[in-house]
Amino acid sequence: MSINRRQFLKIAGISTMLGIGSTAIVSGLRKGDLEASQFEVSPGALTAKRWGFVVDMSKFKSGEDIKRVIDSCHSIHNVPDYGNPKDEIKWIWKDDYEHVFPNQENEYATAELKEKPFMVFCNHCAQPACVRVCPTKATFKRQDGIVMMDMHRCIGCRFCMAACPFGARSFNFRDPRGTDENGRPFIKKENPEFPTRTKGVVEKCTGCYERLAKGLKPACVEASNGGIVFGDLEDPHSEVRKLIAKHYTIRRKPELGTQPSIYYIIGGNENA
Amino acid sequence: MLEKALNGSPRYWGWVFLLLAVIGVGFISYLRQFSYGLGITGLSRDVTWGFYIAQFTYLVGVAASAVMLVIPYYLHNYKKFGRIVILGEFLAISAVMMCILFIFVDLGQPMRVMNVMLYPTPNSVMFWDMIVLMGYLTLNLLIGWTTLGAERKEAPPPAWVKPLIYLSIPWAASIHTVTAFLYAGLPGRHLWLTAIMAARFLSSAFAAGPALLILLALIVRKTSRFDPGKEAIQSLAKIVAYAMTINVFFFLLEVFTAFYSNIPDHMYPIKYLFVGLEGHTNLVPWMRTAAVLAFVGLALLIYPNTRKNENILPLALIAVFISTWIDKGMGLVVGGFVPNPFERVVEYTPTAPELLISLGVYAIGFLILTVLYKVAIAVKEETEGVEIPH
């Protein structure tokens, strides 16, 4: 049998297309694709049905307390400091009441309340908009409620940043492993235990998944002297549930239906 | 057929080399962005999408506009569009190519772009947008190339093209609807969270796309022996007039809902765009220009004497084109990010490398368009006067 050039090219082209196409389909539709962390929980790990936080700002006595909590997170997670707000990366930070809860508009609220600082970080929503929009499943929700980032899969489209109504996500606009013009590294002191990121990917608070796996509570919780309490929201006997039952607590923008997992005690001890 | 693009006047080659030069500059700028990161742009933590995504959004509209020729010609047998329907299809091809490139240059990790196909995620609108855009590109390539090839042989196009042509009609609506869904389904972005977003996208697309198409047809008539036909141009101009009227009407609906309800979150972005917010007024002059141009363009298109005057018509179309470009290519995307989730105003201004890269992408699009139009016109010039059944 002989074929001419035209027929040969036809067959070659079609088989190439089929070959590439079917690999994508097969790998895409493969069932039981679980993340490693969901496969097996290490023996000493902290586990929960839905991790959550209660933030009590009355426990933060000074700016020093706030700074210590931020540093405890940013230093162990190799969060770079670019020294400008445009490229800024932050996992946990503070903002004032007025801006953290813009929907609690109250024109007669005292300046003291409006300017009161509140710690903000990823809400680890039960219905996360960021996970819904991600085109590669680079951000996903774990079975324990932690909203995770796979920074090796992220293509840097920043759809999740448009979707997050809490501004919890940051993007590596520059190479975090690099240095500024004066040779100062963006990551002051690298923690070899935790991966550094590459430019062009989104990152955020990952609920200290690496510490949970070792049986440790998140770093911010540990550094907060009781200002940030961590526990299982689904467990009625957990410390977080007890605090929510005892105090008047609010969440950021609950009306958007993302079901944030951070509860804020408003008024602190006076309300108890 | 492609060889016809290799045979042109010095003016044609001059234009091609000019485009290549712009592409070169854009490419060098892109290499800089590739090595430095997207920090080279004006984008920030608060305004995470800017000029690139805005151009993508606008060009999806231009691409969808081919359907405004396909419907009258193939569904209503409006013969006058027979000569220019190919111009619409080829414009769609170049517009979709630019869309894909604008998405590509916006990615933080462009080398991982295939992850969208390796890990298909049906709950992400972006996944569907990729599918509809790729499909629309394929449809227009197949349809355009096959019908033109048939015309060259002075034969009717093969029967299998017809179903594809009919499929391309809802498909054109889908690329715009899905692109609107990228925005309209996000909680907390008040400018975008509106049920008529897709309808607004379609109306602005059917104004902007045909406006550009008429301008291109007028250029084609000036630079070649091929005449798209006075009546076809006039019919298209009426389509632009209707679509633009609906577009402005839809926008005013948004203004009513935001301001009569008096809900601050819904008013902030519109205030930011047209009067400024907390003293931030970067986009105000642009948006006001867009508003004025929209009404000027509309007046000139609705009043028959000015629409029929071929000296005034291009001005009206340019007004519509610029107005819709400012509205969607600048205001819509940036306005969605202002104020930010903390109700703070952070403004965005594109940087020089960002604009050069965008210009480079446009140049690639125009190069594709030039080559395709060159081929189409060469075929049209050969077969001039031959009536082909379809």
Side-chain angles (χ1 to χ4, degrees):
Chain A
M1 178 190 123
S2 71
I3 52 174
N4 64 24
R5 200 170 71 107
R6 187 182 162 83
Q7 284 165 325
F8 170 77
L9 287 175
K10 250 187 199 166
I11 293 166
I14 288 171
S15 32
T16 313
M17 264 164 55
L18 286 178
I20 295 171
S22 52
T23 337
I25 290 166
V26 168
S27 60
L29 297 181
R30 205 169 47 211
K31 290 276 180 277
D33 242 350
L34 283 178
E35 298 299 328
S37 61
Q38 294 182 334
F39 223 75
E40 194 181 321
V41 181
S42 55
L46 296 184
T47 54
K49 282 205 177 107
R50 178 185 170 190
W51 286 121
F53 302 82
V54 173
V55 176
D56 179 357
M57 290 311 291
S58 68
K59 298 275 166 52
F60 288 80
K61 301 296 179 201
S62 65
E64 206 40 52
D65 287 345
I66 291 173
K67 192 177 173 305
R68 188 182 62 247
V69 168
I70 296 172
D71 289 346
S72 73
C73 167
H74 287 188
S75 62
I76 64 164
H77 294 123
N78 296 322
V79 174
D81 175 13
Y82 296 115
N84 71 60
K86 185 174 107 59
D87 301 331
E88 187 178 19
I89 292 188
K90 43 191 181 185
W91 287 26
I92 180 168
W93 67 102
K94 66 148 181 143
D95 208 329
D96 48 35
Y97 176 85
E98 198 181 7
H99 292 100
V100 173
F101 305 104
N103 52 346
Q104 298 286 329
E105 212 266 334
N106 175 354
E107 57 187 306
Y108 299 118
T110 59
E112 193 196 4
L113 175 65
K114 283 184 181 171
E115 288 157 18
K116 195 177 151 99
F118 279 85
M119 300 307 297
V120 286
F121 47 103
C122 172
N123 273 296
H124 297 283
C125 302
Q127 299 285 334
C130 54
V131 171
R132 200 181 310 140
V133 302
C134 178
T136 61
K137 303 187 190 82
T139 192
F140 56 95
K141 199 173 78 127
R142 300 203 319 181
Q143 280 163 352
D144 61 0
I146 298 289
V147 175
M148 271 294 290
M149 267 305 298
D150 181 344
M151 288 139 187
H152 293 100
R153 188 183 286 190
C154 174
I155 60 172
C157 71
R158 309 185 299 293
F159 201 2
C160 54
M161 296 178 82
C164 175
F166 304 106
R169 292 174 163 268
S170 306
F171 180 73
N172 284 281
F173 282 102
R174 305 183 62 176
D175 182 1
R177 295 163 187 155
T179 57
D180 67 9
E181 302 76 38
N182 305 321
R184 186 189 67 95
F186 295 132
I187 300 170
K188 266 179 219 119
K189 190 172 170 296
E190 192 182 316
N191 169 19
E193 306 263 298
F194 197 81
T196 55
R197 274 75 68 188
T198 180
K199 68 168 176 269
V201 299
V202 174
E203 61 179 74
K204 67 170 196 78
C205 158
T206 51
C208 280
Y209 70 94
E210 79 286 2
R211 289 172 59 91
L212 298 182
K214 286 190 223 154
L216 298 167
K217 285 187 175 178
C220 61
V221 174
E222 213 173 77
S224 70
N225 290 337
I228 303 175
V229 182
F230 180 69
D232 188 352
L233 288 170
E234 295 278 309
D235 173 7
H237 305 294
S238 67
E239 201 186 345
V240 284
R241 280 290 293 274
K242 283 179 190 158
L243 283 170
I244 293 167
K246 197 172 160 207
H247 298 272
Y248 173 63
T249 56
I250 59 172
R251 291 182 291 171
R252 294 174 65 196
K253 304 182 183 175
E255 73 279 8
L256 297 180
T258 65
Q259 299 171 29
S261 302
I262 306 179
Y263 288 75
Y264 291 90
I265 295 177
I266 299 300
N269 287 342
E270 313 96 79
N271 260 9
Chain B
M1 283 193 294
L2 212 50
E3 74 281 356
K4 294 189 189 304
L6 297 174
N7 198 358
S9 63
R11 209 160 50 148
Y12 168 74
W13 285 111
W15 170 243
V16 167
F17 279 107
L18 176 73
L19 289 175
L20 285 172
V22 177
I23 293 169
V25 173
F27 186 70
I28 291 165
S29 304
Y30 182 69
L31 289 181
R32 279 184 61 203
Q33 176 184 301
F34 190 77
S35 84
Y36 183 94
L38 278 164
I40 208 166
T41 66
L43 296 169
S44 66
R45 200 182 182 284
D46 294 294
V47 183
T48 50
W49 282 341
F51 208 71
Y52 298 149
I53 292 298
Q55 301 317 303
F56 152 75
T57 308
Y58 187 66
L59 288 166
V60 171
V62 172
S65 67
V67 79
M68 286 292 105
L69 295 172
V70 170
I71 291 177
Y73 182 58
Y74 287 104
L75 291 189
H76 299 280
N77 201 21
Y78 182 69
K79 293 233 162 52
K80 302 284 183 224
F81 279 173
R83 298 166 69 83
I84 56 167
V85 74
I86 189 74
L87 298 186
E89 285 157 355
F90 281 176
L91 176 61
I93 292 170
S94 94
V96 176
M97 289 303 295
M98 286 189 270
C99 289
I100 293 168
L101 285 169
F102 271 117
I103 292 275
F104 186 79
V105 298
D106 186 70
L107 292 180
Q109 280 289 331
M111 307 309 277
R112 297 183 188 167
V113 64
M114 293 310 275
N115 279 3
V116 179
M117 284 178 225
L118 288 171
Y119 310 105
T121 313
N123 51 277
S124 173
V125 181
M126 203 170 276
F127 168 75
W128 293 107
D129 213 29
M130 176 206 69
I131 291 192
V132 291
L133 279 174
M134 291 296 181
Y136 194 63
L137 179 65
T138 314
L139 278 176
N140 276 288
L141 269 171
L142 275 174
I143 296 167
W145 207 251
T146 312
T147 49
L148 189 68
E151 187 174 338
R152 185 185 175 204
K153 292 177 192 137
E154 299 179 17
W160 57 264
V161 185
K162 261 296 167 59
L164 292 184
I165 290 170
Y166 294 139
L167 179 64
S168 79
I169 294 170
W171 207 288
S174 85
I175 63 170
H176 235 52
T177 306
V178 176
T179 304
F181 284 177
L182 286 177
Y183 301 97
L186 304 182
R189 303 281 178 194
H190 299 288
L191 186 67
W192 300 340
L193 193 70
T194 163
I196 58 164
M197 186 61 100
R200 279 180 64 197
F201 269 43
L202 284 163
S203 62
S204 106
F206 294 153
L212 177 63
L213 199 60
I214 299 174
L215 291 169
L216 290 171
L218 293 174
I219 294 170
V220 164
R221 194 169 65 184
K222 270 230 155 94
T223 53
S224 78
R225 283 187 289 122
F226 169 59
D227 182 5
K230 196 177 166 68
E231 206 173 317
I233 287 175
Q234 279 301 317
S235 300
L236 257 184
K238 277 178 214 155
I239 290 174
V240 176
Y242 277 112
M244 191 61 184
T245 310
I246 297 170
N247 185 36
V248 171
F249 174 65
F250 281 168
F251 177 73
L252 294 175
L253 295 182
E254 302 271 27
V255 174
F256 172 80
T257 302
F259 285 86
Y260 194 80
S261 71
N262 202 36
I263 299 175
D265 288 349
H266 293 265
M267 296 190 288
Y268 286 147
I270 301 176
K271 278 186 182 167
Y272 170 67
L273 292 177
F274 287 94
V275 293
L277 198 61
E278 293 171 17
H280 297 277
T281 55
N282 263 1
L283 281 174
V284 172
W286 290 95
M287 293 309 289
R288 290 190 183 172
T289 308
V292 171
L293 287 177
F295 284 107
V296 168
L298 264 186
L300 294 177
L301 283 171
I302 291 172
Y303 186 56
N305 285 349
T306 45
R307 186 180 63 240
K308 284 176 188 155
N309 182 330
E310 287 205 355
N311 293 320
I312 297 176
L313 180 65
L315 298 177
L317 297 169
I318 290 170
V320 167
F321 189 77
I322 295 176
S323 168
T324 48
W325 182 79
I326 294 173
D327 173 36
K328 243 158 115 194
M330 295 175 84
L332 182 93
V333 171
V334 178
F337 289 104
V338 180
N340 74 6
F342 292 86
E343 283 195 2
R344 282 204 168 83
V345 181
V346 177
E347 292 201 281
Y348 157 82
T349 314
T351 59
E354 200 175 356
L355 293 175
L356 288 176
I357 292 169
S358 302
L359 215 59
V361 173
Y362 270 110
I364 293 175
F366 276 104
L367 184 64
I368 294 170
L369 188 72
T370 304
V371 168
L372 291 175
Y373 272 25
K374 176 83 181 134
V375 172
I377 290 159
V379 170
K380 298 271 177 193
E381 282 174 342
E382 275 174 19
T383 61
E384 211 174 8
V386 182
E387 185 75 30
I388 295 159
H390 63 270

